[in-house]
Short mmCIF file of all heavy atoms in Angstrom, two decimals:
data_model
loop_
_atom_site.label_atom_id
_atom_site.label_comp_id
_atom_site.label_asym_id
_atom_site.label_seq_id
_atom_site.Cartn_x
_atom_site.Cartn_y
_atom_site.Cartn_z
N LYS J 31 -14.18 -27.26 2.29
CA LYS J 31 -14.32 -25.96 1.75
C LYS J 31 -14.25 -24.89 2.76
O LYS J 31 -15.00 -25.01 3.63
CB LYS J 31 -15.64 -25.91 1.00
CG LYS J 31 -15.68 -26.48 -0.48
CD LYS J 31 -16.92 -26.06 -1.11
CE LYS J 31 -17.22 -26.91 -2.34
NZ LYS J 31 -18.61 -26.88 -2.76
N PHE J 32 -13.28 -24.02 2.61
CA PHE J 32 -13.41 -22.91 3.58
C PHE J 32 -13.20 -21.55 2.87
O PHE J 32 -12.72 -21.54 1.67
CB PHE J 32 -12.25 -23.13 4.61
CG PHE J 32 -10.84 -23.15 4.12
CD1 PHE J 32 -10.18 -22.00 4.06
CD2 PHE J 32 -10.33 -24.34 3.63
CE1 PHE J 32 -8.88 -21.96 3.46
CE2 PHE J 32 -9.03 -24.29 3.09
CZ PHE J 32 -8.27 -23.19 3.06
N LEU J 33 -13.49 -20.53 3.61
CA LEU J 33 -13.46 -19.22 2.93
C LEU J 33 -12.35 -18.37 3.78
O LEU J 33 -12.60 -18.06 4.87
CB LEU J 33 -14.89 -18.56 3.02
CG LEU J 33 -15.95 -19.31 2.28
CD1 LEU J 33 -17.44 -18.60 2.68
CD2 LEU J 33 -15.75 -19.26 0.84
N ASN J 34 -11.40 -18.02 3.00
CA ASN J 34 -10.39 -17.20 3.77
C ASN J 34 -10.51 -15.71 3.29
O ASN J 34 -9.91 -15.33 2.31
CB ASN J 34 -9.08 -17.75 3.46
CG ASN J 34 -7.94 -16.93 4.08
OD1 ASN J 34 -8.20 -16.05 4.81
ND2 ASN J 34 -6.60 -17.15 3.71
N ALA J 35 -11.15 -14.94 4.07
CA ALA J 35 -11.37 -13.55 3.81
C ALA J 35 -10.39 -12.72 4.72
O ALA J 35 -10.80 -11.64 5.18
CB ALA J 35 -12.77 -13.05 3.86
N GLY J 36 -9.28 -13.32 5.11
CA GLY J 36 -8.37 -12.68 6.01
C GLY J 36 -7.36 -11.83 5.21
O GLY J 36 -6.80 -10.86 5.67
N LYS J 37 -7.17 -12.21 3.96
CA LYS J 37 -5.96 -11.69 3.19
C LYS J 37 -6.35 -10.43 2.35
O LYS J 37 -7.44 -10.31 1.79
CB LYS J 37 -5.41 -12.81 2.27
CG LYS J 37 -4.80 -13.83 3.08
CD LYS J 37 -3.59 -14.32 2.25
CE LYS J 37 -2.62 -15.17 3.16
NZ LYS J 37 -1.40 -15.48 2.49
N GLY J 38 -5.43 -9.51 2.25
CA GLY J 38 -5.57 -8.31 1.44
C GLY J 38 -5.15 -8.64 -0.07
O GLY J 38 -5.34 -7.70 -0.92
N ASN J 39 -4.64 -9.80 -0.31
CA ASN J 39 -4.19 -10.11 -1.66
C ASN J 39 -5.37 -10.11 -2.56
O ASN J 39 -6.26 -10.83 -2.41
CB ASN J 39 -3.51 -11.44 -1.65
CG ASN J 39 -2.55 -11.62 -2.88
OD1 ASN J 39 -1.33 -11.70 -2.64
ND2 ASN J 39 -3.01 -11.63 -4.02
N PRO J 40 -5.42 -9.32 -3.63
CA PRO J 40 -6.50 -9.26 -4.51
C PRO J 40 -6.67 -10.61 -5.33
O PRO J 40 -5.63 -11.30 -5.57
CB PRO J 40 -6.32 -8.09 -5.42
CG PRO J 40 -4.86 -7.84 -5.34
CD PRO J 40 -4.45 -8.30 -3.98
N ASN J 41 -7.99 -10.91 -5.82
CA ASN J 41 -8.06 -12.15 -6.64
C ASN J 41 -8.30 -11.78 -8.02
O ASN J 41 -9.01 -12.43 -8.76
CB ASN J 41 -9.06 -13.14 -6.00
CG ASN J 41 -10.48 -12.53 -6.14
OD1 ASN J 41 -10.59 -11.33 -6.47
ND2 ASN J 41 -11.47 -13.26 -6.02
N TRP J 42 -7.88 -10.54 -8.47
CA TRP J 42 -8.02 -10.12 -9.86
C TRP J 42 -6.65 -9.60 -10.31
O TRP J 42 -5.68 -9.48 -9.54
CB TRP J 42 -8.91 -8.94 -10.04
CG TRP J 42 -8.58 -7.71 -9.38
CD1 TRP J 42 -7.72 -6.83 -9.71
CD2 TRP J 42 -8.94 -7.31 -7.97
NE1 TRP J 42 -7.57 -5.79 -8.77
CE2 TRP J 42 -8.42 -6.07 -7.73
CE3 TRP J 42 -9.90 -7.76 -7.04
CZ2 TRP J 42 -8.52 -5.32 -6.60
CZ3 TRP J 42 -10.07 -7.08 -5.91
CH2 TRP J 42 -9.37 -5.83 -5.69
N ILE J 43 -6.43 -9.65 -11.66
CA ILE J 43 -5.18 -9.06 -12.12
C ILE J 43 -5.45 -8.12 -13.32
O ILE J 43 -6.53 -8.21 -13.87
CB ILE J 43 -4.25 -10.23 -12.74
CG1 ILE J 43 -4.84 -10.97 -13.91
CG2 ILE J 43 -3.75 -11.11 -11.62
CD1 ILE J 43 -3.82 -11.77 -14.64
N ASN J 44 -4.42 -7.31 -13.63
CA ASN J 44 -4.59 -6.41 -14.88
C ASN J 44 -3.99 -7.24 -15.88
O ASN J 44 -2.81 -7.59 -15.80
CB ASN J 44 -3.90 -5.04 -14.70
CG ASN J 44 -3.94 -4.22 -15.82
OD1 ASN J 44 -3.23 -4.54 -16.83
ND2 ASN J 44 -4.74 -3.22 -15.95
N THR J 45 -4.70 -7.37 -16.96
CA THR J 45 -4.24 -8.15 -18.10
C THR J 45 -3.39 -7.41 -19.15
O THR J 45 -2.39 -7.89 -19.69
CB THR J 45 -5.28 -8.89 -18.77
OG1 THR J 45 -6.27 -8.03 -19.31
CG2 THR J 45 -5.96 -9.83 -17.95
N LYS J 46 -3.87 -6.08 -19.48
CA LYS J 46 -3.27 -5.34 -20.45
C LYS J 46 -1.82 -5.12 -20.31
O LYS J 46 -1.02 -5.30 -21.27
CB LYS J 46 -4.01 -4.00 -20.57
CG LYS J 46 -3.54 -3.18 -21.80
CD LYS J 46 -4.35 -1.84 -21.78
CE LYS J 46 -5.70 -1.97 -22.64
NZ LYS J 46 -6.78 -1.27 -22.09
N ALA J 47 -1.46 -4.64 -19.22
CA ALA J 47 0.02 -4.42 -18.95
C ALA J 47 0.91 -5.70 -19.08
O ALA J 47 2.00 -5.59 -19.57
CB ALA J 47 0.31 -3.72 -17.71
N ARG J 48 0.29 -6.76 -18.62
CA ARG J 48 1.12 -8.05 -18.62
C ARG J 48 1.23 -8.50 -20.04
O ARG J 48 2.28 -9.05 -20.42
CB ARG J 48 0.32 -9.10 -17.71
CG ARG J 48 0.51 -8.87 -16.32
CD ARG J 48 -0.33 -9.92 -15.53
NE ARG J 48 0.08 -9.92 -14.09
CZ ARG J 48 -0.45 -9.30 -13.08
NH1 ARG J 48 -1.38 -8.37 -13.44
NH2 ARG J 48 -0.08 -9.38 -11.87
N LEU J 49 0.23 -8.42 -20.95
CA LEU J 49 0.31 -8.76 -22.26
C LEU J 49 1.29 -7.90 -22.99
O LEU J 49 2.14 -8.38 -23.83
CB LEU J 49 -1.04 -8.68 -22.99
CG LEU J 49 -2.10 -9.86 -22.63
CD1 LEU J 49 -3.42 -9.49 -23.10
CD2 LEU J 49 -1.56 -11.19 -23.19
N ALA J 50 1.39 -6.67 -22.60
CA ALA J 50 2.31 -5.74 -23.31
C ALA J 50 3.81 -6.12 -22.88
O ALA J 50 4.73 -6.07 -23.70
CB ALA J 50 2.06 -4.27 -22.93
N PHE J 51 3.91 -6.45 -21.71
CA PHE J 51 5.27 -6.91 -21.16
C PHE J 51 5.72 -8.05 -22.00
O PHE J 51 6.91 -8.12 -22.50
CB PHE J 51 5.12 -7.22 -19.69
CG PHE J 51 6.56 -7.53 -19.03
CD1 PHE J 51 7.14 -6.49 -18.43
CD2 PHE J 51 7.07 -8.86 -19.05
CE1 PHE J 51 8.38 -6.76 -17.70
CE2 PHE J 51 8.33 -8.96 -18.47
CZ PHE J 51 8.84 -7.95 -17.78
N ALA J 52 4.87 -9.08 -22.23
CA ALA J 52 5.28 -10.27 -22.99
C ALA J 52 5.60 -9.93 -24.37
O ALA J 52 6.58 -10.40 -25.02
CB ALA J 52 4.16 -11.31 -22.87
N ARG J 53 4.84 -9.04 -24.96
CA ARG J 53 4.96 -8.69 -26.36
C ARG J 53 6.31 -7.97 -26.55
O ARG J 53 7.08 -8.14 -27.51
CB ARG J 53 3.79 -7.78 -26.73
CG ARG J 53 3.73 -7.57 -28.25
CD ARG J 53 3.28 -8.78 -29.09
NE ARG J 53 3.06 -8.27 -30.46
CZ ARG J 53 3.57 -8.86 -31.55
NH1 ARG J 53 4.23 -9.95 -31.40
NH2 ARG J 53 3.25 -8.47 -32.72
N LEU J 54 6.59 -6.98 -25.52
CA LEU J 54 7.79 -6.20 -25.76
C LEU J 54 9.05 -7.11 -25.35
O LEU J 54 10.08 -6.83 -25.99
CB LEU J 54 7.71 -5.08 -24.77
CG LEU J 54 6.80 -3.89 -25.19
CD1 LEU J 54 6.47 -3.02 -23.99
CD2 LEU J 54 7.41 -3.15 -26.25
N SER J 55 8.87 -8.18 -24.76
CA SER J 55 9.89 -9.07 -24.51
C SER J 55 10.36 -9.84 -25.80
O SER J 55 11.44 -9.86 -26.11
CB SER J 55 9.53 -10.09 -23.40
OG SER J 55 10.41 -11.05 -23.13
N GLU J 56 9.28 -10.18 -26.54
CA GLU J 56 9.49 -10.79 -27.87
C GLU J 56 10.19 -9.93 -28.70
O GLU J 56 11.11 -10.23 -29.43
CB GLU J 56 8.12 -11.09 -28.32
CG GLU J 56 7.88 -12.20 -29.26
CD GLU J 56 6.44 -12.28 -29.68
OE1 GLU J 56 5.55 -12.13 -28.84
OE2 GLU J 56 6.25 -12.40 -30.85
N PHE J 57 9.71 -8.57 -28.80
CA PHE J 57 10.30 -7.57 -29.61
C PHE J 57 11.85 -7.44 -29.24
O PHE J 57 12.75 -7.33 -30.06
CB PHE J 57 9.59 -6.23 -29.56
CG PHE J 57 10.44 -5.06 -30.16
CD1 PHE J 57 10.54 -4.95 -31.54
CD2 PHE J 57 11.08 -4.21 -29.41
CE1 PHE J 57 11.26 -4.02 -32.14
CE2 PHE J 57 11.83 -3.22 -29.89
CZ PHE J 57 11.91 -3.12 -31.29
N GLY J 58 12.05 -7.37 -27.94
CA GLY J 58 13.37 -7.06 -27.41
C GLY J 58 14.38 -8.30 -27.83
O GLY J 58 15.57 -7.92 -28.22
N ILE J 59 13.94 -9.47 -27.87
CA ILE J 59 14.76 -10.56 -28.35
C ILE J 59 15.07 -10.47 -29.76
O ILE J 59 16.24 -10.61 -30.17
CB ILE J 59 14.19 -11.81 -27.86
CG1 ILE J 59 14.32 -11.93 -26.34
CG2 ILE J 59 14.73 -13.00 -28.63
CD1 ILE J 59 13.48 -12.99 -25.63
N LEU J 60 14.04 -10.19 -30.57
CA LEU J 60 14.30 -10.06 -32.09
C LEU J 60 15.35 -8.89 -32.29
O LEU J 60 16.21 -9.07 -33.13
CB LEU J 60 12.97 -9.81 -32.76
CG LEU J 60 12.03 -10.88 -32.95
CD1 LEU J 60 10.74 -10.41 -33.59
CD2 LEU J 60 12.64 -12.03 -33.76
#
Side-chain angles (χ1 to χ4, degrees):
K31 272 195 196 157
F32 62 91
L33 299 171
N34 179 7
K37 289 214 162 184
N39 202 117
N41 68 348
W42 63 81
I43 62 164
N44 176 285
T45 56
K46 185 179 268 143
R48 284 173 164 93
L49 287 167
F51 188 93
R53 190 72 174 134
L54 286 163
S55 179
E56 209 180 314
F57 167 73
I59 285 162
L60 286 175

